[in-house]
């Protein structure tokens, strides 16, 4: 998605070997207008896919997931990273390992929000090693629901996540794919939605 | 806000003495249509207030804050509950005590996102003891910015938060105010936006 790539070029900061900081429009401060454009793209691609629910993980996934849900006329569910006092129902739950933080943490969704009749589109802000996405896939599998695809705002294509998901036969839609960082600049691979830019 | 009160009556669950569970449309599964209506109300009330930025706290505050930001044509910033690896800038930071969890946790916003010229509207999903709101007020005070008001989706009026904020002279806009729970039912006090329902 050209608009997104341009935002990354203009406002993203490359930190060290493999970190891209996009806290001015996605992960800390959020630009609602850009989120809406991102959601439009996901909705365009998954419009006819029979999706029944959007699933993401707190916190940075919520903004793009929420708008995508609205555009498809669906509810959005965000997986929680810690068990809440009011979360007394049966839960779908799994461990997610963070390479950045080098710790595992538990991720949960109340079972009542995903049924085996659901067809789910997962939306997340970043794909790197794919552990968060794998965790969400496991939760959805526990509920015996179907996954129609995974929509990612920014993919770090030089890390393991993409191949991991493709190997599982999952449809992956990354709107910006980072090939590598070079001298503090971002070099992009062809995004999964590139054909929609041409329209 | 009548629409919101009706949603709470229809889908909220009263747990024990003082817990209201609204995880089917606000705190876990999110209804984008309702969030938009909530945001419309906040935007209507704060339209002429000269707001420059919406501030909330992850995770359940993000949805109503995002739509409010969009409607007012502003960016939204969410305070983070744990320090992120990419959060290497100077930060505004404070401790927030949770009565529910009986622990303090650190809440932070990168300093660069709030300047002393900002006029801020805080949006959050719940107001109970007011500790999260106080924490956000402290962060904004550290940045020497101004707070124009606090917009709350659901206030538990029988807890200390409301009076705490009013005593500080803060403008408070709670769209649903819970007077008490009685036999598992929710009894509402007059909401701060009640006059807008009449229009």
């Amino acid at each position: 998605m050209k608009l997104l790539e341009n935002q990354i070029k203009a406002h993203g900061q490359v930190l060290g070997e493999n970190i891209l900081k996009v806290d001015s429009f996605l992960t800390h401060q959020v630009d609602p207008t850009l989120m809406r454009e991102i959601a439009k793209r996901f909705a365009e691609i998954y419009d006819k896919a029979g999706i029944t629910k959007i699933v993401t993980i707190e916190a940075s996934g919520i903004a793009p997931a929420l708008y995508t849900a609205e555009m498809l006329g669906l509810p959005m569910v965000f997986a929680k990273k810690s068990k809440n006092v009011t979360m007394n129902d049966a839960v779908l739950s799994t461990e997610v390992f963070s390479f950045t933080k080098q710790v595992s943490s538990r991720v949960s969704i109340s079972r009542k929000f995903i049924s085996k009749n659901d067809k789910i589109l997962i939306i997340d802000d970043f794909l790197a090693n794919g552990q968060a996405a794998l965790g969400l896939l496991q939760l959805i599998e526990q509920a015996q629901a179907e996954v129609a695809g995974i929509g990612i705002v920014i993919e770090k294509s030089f890390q393991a996540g993409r191949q991991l998901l493709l190997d599982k036969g999952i449809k992956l839609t990354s709107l910006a794919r980072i090939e590598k960082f070079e001298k503090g600049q971002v070099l992009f691979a062809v995004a999964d939605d590139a054909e929609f830019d041409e329209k």
Side-chain angles (χ1 to χ4, degrees), chain A:
Chain A
M1 183 178 179
K2 278 289 164 226
L3 176 69
L4 175 62
E5 289 174 1
N6 291 340
Q7 284 281 332
I8 294 169
K9 277 188 224 165
H11 303 293
Q13 270 179 277
V14 177
L15 298 180
E17 288 294 296
N18 59 8
I19 294 175
L20 173 71
K21 191 166 163 175
V22 287
D23 62 348
S24 66
F25 62 87
L26 180 60
T27 60
H28 188 8
Q29 179 167 259
V30 182
D31 174 354
T33 312
L34 179 65
M35 292 306 113
R36 179 164 291 283
E37 291 303 318
I38 284 168
K40 258 187 211 164
R41 182 58 55 91
F42 286 136
E44 199 176 355
I45 294 170
Y46 287 94
D47 188 28
K48 306 272 187 275
I51 312 288
T52 60
K53 201 159 275 194
I54 306 296
V55 169
T56 187
I57 185 167
E58 63 180 0
S60 312
I62 293 175
L66 182 67
Y67 279 128
T68 306
E70 186 185 20
M71 293 203 177
L72 293 171
L74 300 172
M76 179 273 279
V77 176
F78 61 94
K80 303 215 168 195
K81 285 180 183 164
S82 62
K83 202 163 178 272
N84 188 280
V85 64
T86 69
M87 213 158 156
N88 57 342
D89 304 304
V91 292
L92 310 161
S93 179
T94 190
E95 293 282 327
V96 169
F97 181 73
S98 163
F99 283 91
T100 330
K101 296 177 187 166
Q102 289 289 317
V103 289
S104 280
S105 57
R106 187 146 287 274
V107 167
S108 313
I109 294 179
S110 284
R111 184 173 285 275
K112 64 182 176 187
F113 292 130
I114 304 183
S115 84
K116 65 176 166 36
N117 301 317
D118 275 319
K119 194 167 179 183
I120 289 171
L121 172 61
I122 294 172
I123 298 285
D124 208 1
D125 58 332
F126 264 96
L127 175 65
N129 288 294
Q131 299 302 302
L134 275 188
L136 291 178
L137 286 175
Q138 278 160 19
L139 298 186
I140 295 165
E141 198 175 316
Q142 284 172 28
Q144 299 176 277
E146 191 184 337
V147 173
I150 301 185
I152 296 291
V153 180
I154 302 175
E155 172 192 297
K156 295 198 278 183
S157 308
F158 53 85
Q159 288 181 303
R162 182 180 182 84
Q163 201 53 50
L164 208 72
L165 297 175
L166 294 181
D167 287 348
K168 291 176 84 73
I170 304 282
K171 174 171 175 177
L172 182 58
T173 308
S174 297
L175 302 191
R177 296 185 56 219
I178 298 174
E179 183 76 52
K180 59 178 175 179
F181 300 126
E182 204 171 72
K183 296 176 188 163
Q185 299 297 305
V186 180
L187 300 188
F188 293 100
V190 177
D192 292 316
D193 67 319
E195 60 181 308
F196 290 84
D197 278 328
E198 312 300 324
K199 286 183 180 174

